[in-house]
Amino acid sequence: MAESRGRQSGFDLFGVAQAGPLPDAPHLRDQIASGRHGRMQFLARTIDVRCDPRVGFPWAKSVICVARRVHSKEAASFNGIACYANAVDYHCTLGEMLSKYVGDMKKEFPRAGRARAFVDSGPVTEKAWARQAGLGFIGKNTLLIAPELGSRIHLGTILLEASIPPDAPGAGTCGDCRRCLDACPTGALTEAGRLDARLCIAYLTVERRGDIPEADRPKIGACVFGCDACQDACPHNRRGPVPADAEPETIDRLIDLSEADFDRLFGDTPVQRATWKGLRLNAITAAGNVGGNSCASSLQKCLDDPDPAIRERARWAIEGLTLRRHRGRLCDRLLILNSCTDK
Ligand code: B12
């Protein structure tokens, strides 16, 4: 019943688990106790309901879990923006699909009872429930990996009052593969299945809204919003949806972005979460890390920006750019010197 309707509703994956204490609860509590959640106080504040949804929704007996593949926007993708964010905001698209599913289900089955749907921002541990509901297994990159689709999927959850026979939990492991751990540019995956969020580029470029401590700035490299390194390296994503290859726009275009342009280009995407100022600060930081001469004039303009944070970050980035330029010249001279002495 529920599954066939799930498929009709356009979800790529669908499964059901019985509401109760999550087997992973000790890891969740350990993550918070160790501070690895950084500034994400929303995780700490709601830890009890994240460990057992009945704490916040005592009527919940079933947890319906769905997944939908990431669909990238065809046009206007920016280098340094993660594949899921170069798309219409999944909080809206998947959210609308879940509300419609709940509405149709209640019409067809009045005894379904109370239901609450969540996508990402609700106090529900979506990956762990998706595993419990049979959608896949938790990879060493801590993401839910689905057999046919890999991890480039978005998860949604419905807490339901009616008791639906649960599916078997997802099986599967990463075996000896450790490509994601080796690919993570900052070592945020401290061990298999354990992430120190404070080191994760997605945390630094999304959750901190541009306020990146000086010591962490080099860590983001050329990323300006989110990071796909641990997914790009994953062999399970070879089969899944491939990010759209669109004409990359350069970092300096992001630095020069007006607020109106920001709303026009990113208004309906997850990038909104970083805010206009946050995205510009991330882009200036990326220019400081990897930017070339094409960024110089944009950074110069930022020295007169009315916002002191933008001015300070631009000064930091120009130092980085200048240092790389000098290093470049030094190398050139050394190369010439070497070639002279060889003759
Ligand atoms: C907070 C959060 C983040 C944080 C922290 C991530 C994290 N791993 O905690 C930051 C900002 C870093 C982040 C980044 C990303 N996120 Co995020 N995020 C969330 C959110 C809101 C909560 C996740 C959570 O509960 N974390 C708490 C910690 C404790 O859980 P955990 O680290 O995953 O650990 C789990 C297991 O690994 C295990 N565990 C923990 N420690 C240990 C230790 C051992 C030894 C073992 C065996 C197990 C174990 O128990 C924990 C609970 O299951 C969920 C949405 C939701 N409501 O669930 C989306 C969500 C997980 N994110 C998602 C995505 C897509 C991403 C990014 C790929 C986005 C991007 N491209 O930049 C990156 C990937 C980074 C990564 N490898 O995790 C998707 C994942 C889809 C999927 N296939 O799994 C979700 C489900 C959003 C959605 N609705 O689609 N995210």
Side-chain angles (χ1 to χ4, degrees):
M1 163 280 277
E3 172 127 15
S4 56
R5 171 160 295 293
R7 298 222 174 281
Q8 286 155 21
S9 305
F11 303 122
D12 293 297
L13 297 173
F14 185 98
V16 179
Q18 187 181 350
L22 259 183
D24 283 34
H27 294 305
L28 268 167
R29 293 190 186 284
D30 171 52
Q31 175 96 338
I32 306 302
S34 66
R36 289 198 307 268
H37 61 299
R39 281 188 177 180
M40 297 183 287
Q41 286 315 316
F42 62 87
L43 288 175
R45 260 196 320 274
T46 55
I47 188 68
D48 294 333
V49 65
R50 286 176 189 269
C51 289
D52 185 341
R54 298 169 308 169
V55 171
F57 310 92
W59 45 263
K61 295 189 188 56
S62 305
V63 184
I64 294 178
C65 299
V66 302
R68 190 153 188 267
R69 340 155 166 244
V70 171
H71 294 276
S72 293
K73 266 189 184 179
E74 291 311 321
S77 101
F78 283 80
N79 260 350
I81 293 186
C83 142
Y84 85 97
N86 264 319
V88 176
D89 196 341
Y90 71 95
H91 298 88
C92 310
T93 49
L94 190 49
E96 280 153 24
M97 290 172 74
L98 284 171
S99 316
K100 181 174 180 324
Y101 176 82
V102 168
D104 295 348
M105 178 177 60
K106 284 190 168 189
K107 267 196 229 109
E108 203 171 330
F109 306 98
R111 286 205 320 279
R114 281 168 282 188
R116 279 287 302 276
F118 302 100
V119 179
D120 186 47
S121 47
V124 176
T125 311
E126 293 168 337
K127 296 180 284 187
W129 280 113
R131 183 206 38 227
Q132 292 306 105
L135 274 58
F137 67 94
I138 302 278
K140 292 181 181 176
N141 57 10
T142 85
L143 295 172
L144 191 277
I145 297 177
E148 294 310 310
L149 296 180
S151 68
R152 291 195 203 282
I153 51 178
H154 288 305
L155 303 178
T157 312
I158 300 169
L159 298 180
L160 189 66
E161 186 164 16
S163 178
I164 302 179
D167 293 290
T173 73
C174 296
D176 299 335
C177 175
R178 53 170 290 118
R179 290 183 181 84
C180 54
L181 282 89
D182 298 337
C184 175
T186 63
L189 291 167
T190 51
E191 65 178 285
R194 193 192 285 268
L195 181 97
D196 185 338
R198 297 164 297 187
L199 297 173
C200 178
I201 292 176
Y203 169 78
L204 293 170
T205 57
V206 179
E207 298 302 320
R208 294 198 65 117
R209 293 180 174 71
D211 173 21
I212 306 173
E214 186 150 353
D216 291 331
R217 292 173 189 170
K219 293 190 177 97
I220 74 165
C223 293
V224 293
F225 188 90
C227 175
D228 284 328
C230 60
Q231 297 199 90
D232 292 347
C234 180
H236 289 281
N237 285 333
R238 290 213 188 103
R239 273 180 306 234
V242 176
D245 248 347
E247 188 50 43
E249 297 276 355
T250 52
I251 294 175
D252 56 323
R253 173 126 190 260
L254 286 174
I255 297 172
D256 299 338
L257 213 58
S258 68
E259 190 155 11
D261 281 344
F262 173 80
D263 292 340
R264 182 175 51 77
L265 286 165
F266 300 113
D268 63 348
T269 78
V271 178
Q272 275 288 325
R273 189 170 170 76
T275 73
W276 169 54
K277 174 180 173 179
L279 189 71
R280 290 185 70 213
L281 284 169
N282 290 347
I284 295 169
T285 310
N289 292 336
V290 299
N293 293 338
S294 63
C295 296
S297 63
S298 302
L299 291 175
Q300 284 299 336
K301 271 186 280 174
C302 290
L303 295 177
D304 305 322
D305 195 277
D307 187 317
I310 296 279
R311 296 199 300 272
E312 181 276 329
R313 192 65 56 89
R315 276 194 297 279
W316 176 87
I318 289 169
E319 275 168 31
L321 203 70
T322 315
L323 200 62
R324 272 201 311 286
R325 209 180 272 152
H326 287 162
R327 262 202 221 112
R329 287 208 195 103
L330 188 60
C331 294
D332 296 349
R333 290 215 184 96
L334 286 172
L335 284 171
I336 295 163
L337 206 61
N338 273 350
S339 63
C340 298
T341 48
D342 286 352
K343 288 201 187 87

